[in-house]
Amino acid sequence: MKYSMDELLPIVQNLTEKYTGKSSTSVTYEKAQQLMGAIIYCIRENDNHMQKSEYGIRAGKLGAAEAYHTGYQLVIENVHESKKIYEEMIENFDSYGLTCYYDTVVKGMPIFFVQYDARFFPQDHILTLDYPLIDMDYHLNGIDMIYPYIYTIHLEQNFLSAFPRKYVIEALKDYHRNYKELFINVSSIVIRSVLLKMMEGRISIREESIETLEDRLINLLSRFIVEELKKRKEDDNLCSEIEKYLIKDMHSFAVELKNMGDVKIL
Amino acid sequence: MSDKWMDMIVLAGQKQELQKVLTSNEKSREFGLTLTEEDAGMLMQSRRDVLKNQRRVEFGEGILPELIQTFCDSQYLNQDNYAETLAQLQDIFYLYKNEAEDNLTDDELLTVMKELFEGICYGSTDYLQETCLERFARAVRAGYRDYEESGGENEGIKFSEEERWDRNLYLMVLYEELS
């Protein structure tokens, strides 16, 4: 929803007064931009929510102030929800010795929950999120970046806990002896290791296109999810979500296999 | 947010401030000081220019009414220099809000400025801008925060380093010359 400067100015003024505690009549350009960014972020949050909800489509356009306040409440709710998921996940979190995984999730996330400024700087997610996910959307910011990030880590941990710890460590060591200091995604390494083992005999992939390879990998992945993961996890919805996440890695895996040429699978 | 939007924000607050500036004549008249509409217009334009130069934004009425309230009883202001001095003080105010990296509230900065203007600077805005206020801002940037308790009172004088006019020394030398 687009709002005019006339609609937004009173909200910015109000927020600036809150920010300065009425002890200053002026702020720097940079601070004003940040505060305007905060308002636009919350309005956008409301817009996204309205577009997804039937009520929102029927309700039509809210006034700027109402859109901002509702959006701000949504930001707060998302922070609470993220924290809930994080607290559940961190109890049994295992970084498998990967430094960036540990630093991001164990050291970094608590800093986010302490320092995140939902009121005056919601668009700043503070952390660099060094541990890479299979599908990072770098266009997101603020809690919109962190919430799916934490949720995905939670999915990954669920996936990885289906394997003996030793298996995961071996897969990582097979990838690179000194894996601990690398910036790699553990789930990707493990699922690729699993899928390679599932491919029986010698596979000549020279004549296969990347698309065909990708389809084969996706089929193998689905087989693994049905035959193995669902037995260990007993939560079909969770397994579906894990599958949807891991599928996103199959294209780049297919490309890498193609680049490897003839592969003998033992 | 573009500079054009910043200009719009500054203009939006201007009408309110113009009215308040003219209303402040009620108090300053006690000290023989008034601003004409032309003076107020000049001060508004000066405000726009200095906010743009200092890359600052005011969302409501600006600092001018407070500036007038603070300085209108100054012994160094008269009707001839009133508008011009207010413009210079306004410039100095926004400059030092930036120089102190927004660590000073408006009231704290005005208190420091008034004390220095009346005490050490003897009404000179150049002296105010280029000496102890500059040192004070530097200290604030380095982490100095003693002014928070006092609200800025008796702070600026701590940073005076210039050799001063000393009345006792003057009288002593005069006496020696005459005797």
Side-chain angles (χ1 to χ4, degrees), chain A residues 5 9 12-13 16 23-30 32-33 36, chain B residues 1 3 5-6 8-9 55-59 97-98 102 105-106:
Chain A
M5 198 55 181
L9 260 182
V12 181
Q13 183 172 348
T16 307
S23 67
S24 184
T25 56
S26 63
V27 292
T28 59
Y29 272 16
E30 289 75 23
Q33 276 169 340
M36 181 61 100
Chain B
M1 217 155 74
D3 284 7
W5 281 30
M6 298 295 178
M8 278 176 67
I9 290 166
R55 295 181 59 79
R56 295 189 71 86
V57 154
E58 276 180 340
F59 284 96
K97 282 292 281 191
N98 278 347
D102 281 301
T105 65
D106 289 354

Side-chain angles (χ1 to χ4, degrees), chain B residues 21-156:
Chain B
V21 164
L22 292 171
T23 311
S24 66
N25 278 336
E26 285 168 21
K27 184 180 178 192
S28 62
R29 201 171 277 125
E30 290 173 40
F31 305 98
L33 303 170
T34 51
L35 292 169
T36 61
E37 273 201 40
E38 199 185 323
D39 290 335
M42 180 277 288
L43 286 167
M44 294 292 103
Q45 181 60 48
S46 177
R47 167 186 180 253
R48 272 218 304 273
D49 293 340
V50 70
L51 282 172
K52 197 167 186 174
N53 290 337
Q54 295 299 332
R55 295 181 59 79
R56 295 189 71 86
V57 154
E58 276 180 340
F59 284 96
E61 60 185 47
I63 197 60
L64 206 43
E66 278 301 311
L67 203 68
I68 292 169
Q69 292 285 317
T70 306
F71 283 89
C72 65
D73 61 353
S74 167
Q75 59 180 311
Y76 298 104
L77 291 182
N78 55 56
Q79 188 58 36
D80 289 335
N81 70 9
Y82 184 39
E84 192 190 328
T85 308
L86 279 180
Q88 288 165 355
L89 288 169
Q90 185 176 241
D91 283 1
I92 291 169
F93 177 83
Y94 290 121
L95 169 65
Y96 279 96
K97 282 292 281 191
N98 278 347
E99 290 292 305
E101 295 176 342
D102 281 301
N103 286 306
L104 292 166
T105 65
D106 289 354
D107 287 345
E108 284 163 351
L109 180 54
L110 285 174
T111 303
V112 170
M113 280 173 66
K114 176 69 187 298
E115 277 188 6
L116 290 173
F117 184 75
E118 290 299 300
I120 294 175
C121 304
Y122 296 98
S124 164
T125 51
D126 288 339
Y127 200 102
L128 176 66
Q129 181 170 337
E130 290 162 15
T131 58
C132 20
L133 194 55
E134 200 273 318
R135 282 180 221 113
F136 176 64
R138 204 183 318 139
V140 170
R141 285 198 302 273
Y144 179 74
R145 294 288 183 270
D146 288 6
Y147 58 86
E148 283 175 352
E149 216 178 293
S150 64
E153 284 178 17
N154 303 315
E155 284 296 325

Side-chain angles (χ1 to χ4, degrees), chain A residues 9 20 66 98 103 128 137 167 170 194 199 221 228 237 245:
Chain A
L9 260 182
T20 63
E66 200 181 341
L98 192 64
D103 285 352
T128 51
D137 186 348
Y167 180 90
E170 282 307 312
V194 165
M199 296 178 194
L221 174 65
E228 296 298 329
N237 286 337
Y245 174 60

